[in-house]
Amino acid sequence: MNNQPIGVMDSGLGGLSVVRLIQQQLPNESIVFVGDEGHFPYGTKPQAEVRKFVLTIGKYLEKYPVKLMVIACNTATAAALSTVKKALPIPVIGVIHPGAQAAVNTHAHTIGVIATDSTIKDGAYEREIHKIDPTIKVISQAAQPLVSIVEHGLTDTPQAQQVVNEQLSIFDTHPIDTLILGCTHFPFLKKQIQNKVGKHVQLVDPAKETVIHLQTLLKDKNLLSTTTATYHLYSTGNKNTLITGANKWLHGNYTSCASLTL
């Protein structure tokens, strides 16, 4: 048993998709969330720079203190997971391996991946999928503009569907069986993405798979909490943007929202 909170970080608001799932699946677990909106977006930055940001947040969360850190950002996972694991004395998990494993488990012959420019350039998902099954065909597509749609609160608009249609047009001529939503912002556009690719394509949300992995890890390490949960949310940018996102996607289910200088 360990009643310390879980630390969750993201480049912006996308990590709230992970926070929301933790609230649903692990209601006794307290959360400290850091959205690094002061350095948003990560997806267009060099990996060395992203690694520095993630490590700084990790050290802050360690001192908070938290019992475990979730890098709820695909770009940050690709750039920094191994570095942060070595640097911190607490368990650290990312979102890429759980998402890749879940996609392979669908028995797809062809898997599509949509993610930020940086994640696609790194080839993180393709590499992870081929570690599990080298025979699977992977079609990767950078869809960076979708991140901005989410960050600007435009998810349920005609503009959102238009941008999704444009960014995912590659799958019109390159059919897929399964599609990995390789950015934690993308589950907030799940309806528009499913509309574009069709109901026959199975969507895999790495955030959901990561929380399943998190639950198993907490049980195995005897770290489950038994207290009433609290949710403290921080932004390195404009806290009002964070409050808007938290009210929309967490339905106002949080203890506090504040700005953070790191």
Side-chain angles (χ1 to χ4, degrees):
M1 183 181 76
N2 186 319
N3 293 327
Q4 289 179 325
I6 295 167
V8 180
M9 70 77 55
D10 182 52
S11 61
L13 302 183
L16 293 178
S17 63
V18 174
V19 172
R20 180 174 63 180
L21 289 167
I22 295 174
Q23 289 179 333
Q24 294 168 358
Q25 300 300 319
L26 296 162
N28 290 329
E29 297 298 332
S30 294
I31 299 168
V32 178
F33 172 78
V34 177
D36 195 14
E37 292 177 281
H39 297 115
F40 175 84
Y42 280 6
T44 57
K45 290 182 170 61
Q47 286 203 331
E49 191 174 2
V50 172
R51 200 173 297 123
K52 180 181 176 182
F53 297 150
V54 180
L55 189 56
T56 298
I57 293 171
K59 289 180 177 178
Y60 168 79
L61 290 171
E62 177 204 345
K63 293 175 182 176
Y64 196 89
V66 300
K67 61 186 174 185
L68 181 146
M69 177 181 176
V70 180
I71 302 178
C73 172
N74 290 265
T75 302
T77 297
L81 179 61
S82 60
T83 299
V84 178
K85 273 186 171 182
K86 293 173 184 174
L88 300 185
I90 57 174
V92 182
I93 64 174
V95 291
I96 290 177
H97 177 75
Q101 184 66 65
V104 172
N105 290 347
T106 66
H107 305 294
H109 296 292
T110 305
I111 295 174
V113 179
I114 52 173
T116 65
D117 293 347
S118 178
T119 303
I120 295 300
K121 184 177 180 181
D122 178 78
Y125 271 105
E126 186 169 0
R127 192 163 55 247
E128 201 65 36
I129 289 166
H130 285 157
K131 281 182 187 176
I132 304 167
D133 186 343
T135 68
I136 293 175
K137 183 178 180 181
V138 180
I139 299 172
S140 299
Q141 174 64 29
Q144 187 72 41
L146 302 190
V147 179
S148 295
I149 290 290
V150 174
E151 288 285 326
H152 290 97
L154 300 172
T155 49
D156 294 313
T157 65
Q159 180 182 349
Q161 188 67 66
Q162 180 182 348
V163 174
V164 167
N165 291 349
E166 292 168 355
Q167 293 297 307
L168 275 61
S169 61
I170 186 175
F171 302 119
D172 295 341
T173 52
H174 295 77
I176 54 175
D177 307 308
T178 296
L179 179 63
I180 297 175
L181 308 183
C183 172
T184 48
H185 288 75
F186 294 174
F188 295 118
L189 292 165
K190 186 175 181 180
K191 180 174 69 174
Q192 290 80 11
I193 292 169
Q194 194 79 75
N195 287 343
K196 173 57 181 172
V197 298
K199 292 183 179 179
H200 64 284
V201 175
Q202 185 167 338
L203 303 185
V204 171
D205 178 2
K208 180 180 177 181
E209 303 304 326
T210 299
V211 173
I212 293 171
H213 176 60
L214 170 64
Q215 189 168 18
T216 301
L217 184 62
L218 291 174
K219 287 179 180 177
D220 290 348
K221 291 185 174 293
N222 196 29
L223 293 175
L224 287 167
S225 175
T226 57
T227 59
T228 302
T230 59
Y231 309 112
H232 296 284
L233 314 179
Y234 297 95
S235 171
T236 61
N238 187 342
K239 75 173 182 180
N240 292 327
T241 304
L242 176 61
I243 290 170
T244 299
N247 286 336
K248 182 174 183 179
W249 294 310
L250 303 183
H251 307 294
N253 185 18
Y254 56 88
T255 307
S256 67
C257 277
S259 295
L260 177 67
T261 302
L262 292 174

